[in-house]
């Protein structure tokens, strides 16, 4: 997600969801352990705290040699 101070921002929910999906897919492809509950907190009272649960819902397994991973 990108934002700027000039009033033009690319922060629609769809853009955020695409960026999050890309992050998850790329992390999975690299073998990064991402399935967990993540607590995102802010020191500012103006910004809410969040809990994000990432849970794998299918049995897909990346190939042994990461070079053959196909982005579907």
């Amino acid at each position: 997600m990108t934002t700027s101070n000039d009033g033009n921002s690319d922060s629609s929910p769809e853009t955020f969801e695409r960026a999050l999906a890309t992050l998850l897919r790329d992390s999975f492809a690299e073998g990064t352990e991402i399935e967990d509950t993540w607590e995102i907190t802010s020191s500012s009272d103006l910004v809410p705290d969040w809990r994000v649960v990432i849970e794998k819902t299918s049995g897909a397994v990346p190939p042994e040699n990461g070079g053959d991973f196909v982005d579907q």
Side-chain angles (χ1 to χ4, degrees):
M1 179 167 62
T2 60
T3 60
S4 66
N5 293 331
D6 63 4
N8 296 326
S9 66
D10 189 15
S11 61
S12 71
E14 295 82 14
T15 301
F16 174 79
E17 289 176 13
R18 278 193 308 271
L20 181 57
T22 299
L23 174 67
L24 294 174
R25 186 176 51 246
D26 291 354
S27 296
F28 172 76
E30 293 172 3
T32 303
E33 182 61 43
I34 55 175
E35 190 171 15
D36 204 345
T37 298
W38 301 85
E39 300 286 337
I40 303 168
T41 59
S42 172
S43 60
S44 171
D45 290 338
L46 300 175
V47 178
D49 295 340
W50 297 87
R51 176 177 298 129
V52 178
V53 178
I54 300 175
E55 180 179 341
K56 185 168 40 171
T57 59
S58 74
V61 177
E64 292 292 322
N65 59 353
D68 289 343
F69 190 82
V70 177
D71 183 19
Q72 295 183 7

